[in-house]
């Protein structure tokens, strides 16, 4: 399926449901796909950070992506993360995603090894040349410890290496300046800017972003679709109110005790606990070595779902 | 081959020679093994950071490790890096290393995803339980962006999860305090502390470290063996003088222009250029997307080899 | 003059004009005050980061604050930065500001020395108790290397230690969550949230912030006042368009060459060059040791003022 | 008193004893001076980080420095910290120190405001030109968030701007390379390299450093003098053993609970609690807003003093 040019709308970065033994649960993953498509998702993003891509073996990644492609069945595009350290490894991941039917590939700058901006650009060009799928750059400094510069992104948008950017940097000022530069260069019709910051989607859309890839959109995809549609229609007060409600719900990422577990384990555990409480997935297990959410945290997640209007 | 308990001496983290097209060159890798064994290396470490592990595909990693195991032929232990993001992926790497004949596995804390200290400990325990080889923790904050705490290392030394530590943190004060704690707990006879800091090997040995894993030891393994033996014999002034000579030689990691390439590309390019100039390997290519060393930099490397007494 | 509760609107953080020898130029500073008041500034903030507070001696700080208080002459409130490392030193700065007629004090968390959140809260409480002026917390992680937590700010808003927050953290998601919590606790009528992020003012106001403290508001205060009024009236598309124009103008902070000078020297030099080109101040000198803007950079600043409609 | 060229030996960075109300206690400070001079200190350093310089008002700084100069009475040189954000402010501090009789000034790179290396060099040159005292650069990245580059230090050593370096960066590899470069350029006879890293003094001396400025040397100056003299005599095993004992004692900096107080408050509180238990100073109060050490922590400090042989 061809990726829209530019990609826009709500693109949930799908969680990867696991069973109690830690294996990928394709049935729950298919149910999650239905959950987000029923709400109006414009595409789905498998094997991203919310999909615990960093925690899944290659075999698990393949199982998960196959399940997503099968469940989506061509209704919307499937973006697939090709998360690995540097070019050769990303290429292997990207080729596997292409073979499994992904419609676009999402890749970060090199990590573990540092990289100069010229090397970062070369990295994306090599990936794009070797795999015949649209390529979206994933700017996620908390994970890869560098930020993609506007100059790099613009050069790669101009020469069509990149079809878009998923910006999880949290730097909305830089995002606005990038959007201005893309419009100045006539690239905003071909290059998609998607924010990954769940709490400032109204702001990103007001600045001209094309869409949103919200981890919290696993739990409440309908909320993000409403927010997106308010924004598209210029109903900014309503968009902000919806964003405020979602920001309240977002507290579920902090359900876990930071003295006992990582922020990631708390966030992923919170998303999965919510999806189980909503009846979407069967089991809230997160991948090792993430500490499981304790029962008290699950109670907190339930209360947040009630306050957010998602549970009675 | 059984790993000595504790492992000690000079353990070069082998570079991975590539041919001009970027494929692993087993012949050159075998020659590099001879270069370091002839100098007195106590073991070798394949697929570490100096081995460009982050830049090699799984197939390239297997080719490289197989070449090392074959070339070493049981003369010394072979440590193999199992460098990947989190537990499930590290396990796959560790199992592959075991299958290829590695004598020990070296793994870092989780990266890309953050991890709480309890999750870090759980990570190492799961890797050790699943793979029947000694496990060495690799503390390398510049790559993984966390530092292993002394408390975590001590707990994992006490319960025999870890056989040792490769400390590339550069924090010699913390290393000294860890060594003191290991001695206090009677663990210094079973747990190996190896420094990865090429410039302070004399200091680490003076503080009680068991050995050294020097990237620069690819280029001048004999120098590090002399340094180690001076230290073992209590000839500290001679050790420091040898360390000073090696610190001068270390400037080859900065041969590349930081305005044009990453520090890693300069360092790895410098090691490989030196090995080619010394006649050990055939080609100084580094893996993509690292910018190659320009000719002027190679000239600088040659001059440093001459100043360091390695070339006439 | 009493500070409005809560403070709202556009509050320019005044530059401190210097003459060619580096002395504070009170005449130019008075002209700058007129420049921003004529545009509709709701208050002014002297001795902030844009005021080169970190670069001014205590005597220069006093001269500058006196000039501002005199020039403002009670027309709007004068906020004064009390920028110093820890409590005792901030207290001295705050007392000096009070003696010179400031209407409120702005202080950061401790810096140079680290501080635990409990120590940060104690710091603000001690400053507030000792100086009988409203206290505004200044959250500026790039300068002080910690971020004020929402929990700390909420506690200090609840017990009336703080009258408001100037948020220069760039973390709009955290700002939104703070605003939600303030509304939940009924504190948004008494506690002012002011963003210091010049590029996302529309977004901060959409999320409920009360006002803005824009460094670029020295150069184009009328633009920020228009933006603020559009937002207050719910004209969000117009607000975003004005913000886009200002984001284009913001490029003047990058007029200097990063290979030759710090980002701060470039930004402050850019603001001052613009103010001189606009005829507001006499001299664009920045305080030592900041590298002066070269002539080519000043030409770039002029072009940006032309493009932004501020010069013909 | 003229500073020796180069300065060498043990230079304790004196704590600043306070009374229960937080005022500087000159009597205790004089006793501390006797404590370190009796042990063989080669000089003393007032108003450094261990002296809580960041926490003292200008008046308190003057009181403390006056007390030190009076107590020392010309027996050894007195170095004085001129700790402030940028050039103009450091100059005021340096002039005050000169007026009070300091024999040398110690200053950091600019902080709060960022600075380009060229601006850092200009900063030191301006301070040196304006104050007729030897100037020592203080490299303390944990406080000022930049590291002095070897190139900057070498240039400032070459042109006699700097008389030395106090290196609290913890980067012993960089220190060794700096020492090599100084020797290569014939500057090691005129430029003093002093380590501020209490746990690796043997290593720094083995690498060629001239002396040590150990915070822990407030508590056990005799230990550091023994360590220094062992090293000077080439008794490296004895030096390392003494360093090990001191590294054990160093645990007193962690007596406080990190969940309740900053690392700095714990360290300074630990030093002062030890000095009170040893009978050197009257009161262990640390400056606001540092959380005081709880009683259990003081008990821990006592035990460490007993284990270290400083209390029976």
């Amino acid at each position: 399926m061809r990726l829209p040019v530019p990609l826009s709308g709500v693109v949930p970065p799908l969680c990867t449901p696991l069973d109690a033994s830690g294996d990928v649960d394709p049935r729950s993953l298919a149910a999650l796909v239905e959950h987000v498509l029923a709400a109006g998702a414009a595409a789905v993003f498998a094997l991203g950070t919310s999909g615990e891509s960093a925690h899944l073996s290659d075999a698990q990644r393949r199982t998960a992506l196959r399940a997503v492609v099968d469940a989506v069945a061509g209704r919307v595009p499937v973006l697939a993360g090709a998360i690995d350290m540097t070019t050769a490894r990303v290429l292997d991941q990207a080729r596997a995603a292409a073979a499994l039917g992904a419609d676009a590939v999402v890749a970060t700058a090199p990590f573990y090894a540092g990289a100069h901006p010229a090397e970062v650009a070369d990295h994306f060009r090599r990936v794009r040349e070797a795999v015949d799928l649209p390529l979206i750059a994933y700017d996620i400094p908390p994970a890869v410890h560098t930020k993609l510069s506007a100059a790099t992104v613009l050069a790669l948008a101009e020469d069509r290496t990149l079809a878009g950017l998923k910006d999880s940097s949290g730097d909305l000022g830089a995002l606005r300046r990038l959007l201005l530069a893309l419009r100045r260069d006539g690239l905003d019709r071909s290059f998609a800017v998607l924010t990954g910051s769940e709490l400032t989607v109204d702001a990103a859309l007001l600045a001209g972003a094309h869409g949103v890839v919200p981890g919290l959109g696993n739990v409440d995809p309908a909320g993000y679709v409403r927010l997106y549609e308010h924004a598209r229609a210029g109903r900014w007060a309503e968009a902000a109110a919806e964003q405020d409600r979602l920001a309240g719900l977002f507290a579920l990422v902090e359900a876990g005790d930071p003295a006992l577990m990582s922020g990631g384990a708390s966030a992923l555990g919170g998303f999965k606990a919510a999806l189980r409480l909503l009846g979407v997935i069967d089991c809230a297990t997160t991948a090792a070595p993430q500490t499981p959410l304790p029962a008290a945290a699950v109670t907190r997640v339930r209360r947040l779902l009630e306050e957010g209007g998602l549970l009675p």
Side-chain angles (χ1 to χ4, degrees), chain A:
Chain A
M1 170 167 205
R2 256 185 71 83
L3 204 65
V5 177
L7 179 61
S8 65
V10 177
V11 184
L14 297 171
C15 289
T16 305
L18 306 176
D19 62 25
S21 66
D23 292 329
V24 175
D25 171 3
R27 200 213 63 77
S28 288
L29 188 41
L32 177 57
V33 166
E34 294 309 317
H35 178 59
V36 304
L37 291 193
V44 295
F45 172 31
L47 302 181
T49 308
S50 293
E52 289 173 275
S53 182
H55 291 88
L56 302 181
S57 69
D58 282 350
Q60 289 176 306
R61 288 180 175 190
R62 283 192 299 270
T63 302
L65 181 55
R66 191 175 292 121
V68 170
V69 170
D70 287 353
V72 168
R75 288 175 287 175
V76 297
V78 175
L79 286 61
I83 308 301
D84 217 317
M85 287 170 250
T86 66
T87 311
R89 301 184 65 78
V90 170
L91 271 174
D92 280 353
Q93 299 289 335
R95 287 184 184 118
L100 289 166
D103 301 303
V105 165
V106 182
T108 71
F111 55 91
Y112 188 90
H116 184 275
E119 294 166 348
V120 172
D122 186 40
H123 167 74
F124 283 115
R125 289 195 177 106
R126 286 171 184 267
V127 172
R128 181 65 188 84
E129 274 157 29
V131 179
D132 190 26
L133 282 179
L135 177 62
I136 294 176
Y138 191 174
D139 191 22
I140 184 164
V144 307
H145 299 278
T146 53
K147 170 145 182 52
L148 294 178
S149 73
T152 297
V153 173
L154 282 169
L156 298 173
E158 176 72 50
D159 71 8
R160 312 288 154 159
T161 297
L162 293 180
L165 172 73
K166 172 180 183 332
D167 175 19
S168 295
S169 74
D171 186 343
L172 189 63
L175 188 73
R176 168 165 243 129
R177 295 187 76 191
L178 175 67
L179 285 161
L180 278 174
L182 289 166
R183 288 207 289 274
R184 178 198 64 202
D185 297 348
L187 295 166
D188 58 310
R189 301 297 178 89
S190 57
F191 183 90
V193 174
L194 311 170
T195 179
S197 297
E198 288 111 324
L199 301 174
T200 55
V201 175
D202 55 345
L205 295 172
L206 182 58
H210 301 82
V212 51
V213 187
L216 186 62
N218 282 279
V219 177
D220 192 1
Y224 279 100
V225 170
R226 279 194 300 275
L227 166 46
Y228 177 76
E229 291 180 350
H230 283 315
R232 279 300 85 114
R235 296 186 301 265
W236 294 104
E238 289 85 347
E242 186 69 43
Q243 177 68 85
D244 280 348
R245 191 188 59 78
L246 289 162
L249 184 62
F250 188 71
L252 57 81
V253 307
E254 294 162 355
D257 181 349
L260 302 176
M261 63 202 304
S262 61
S266 177
L268 272 299
F271 289 162
K272 287 187 158 180
L275 287 169
R276 202 184 58 76
L277 291 166
L278 293 171
V280 177
I281 68 173
D282 288 344
C283 173
T285 298
T286 49
Q290 297 170 97
T291 303
L293 273 198
V298 177
T299 303
R300 216 167 304 137
V301 169
R302 177 187 291 276
R303 204 178 54 240
L304 287 163
L305 292 173
E306 291 165 358
E307 289 171 13
L310 298 184
L311 275 183

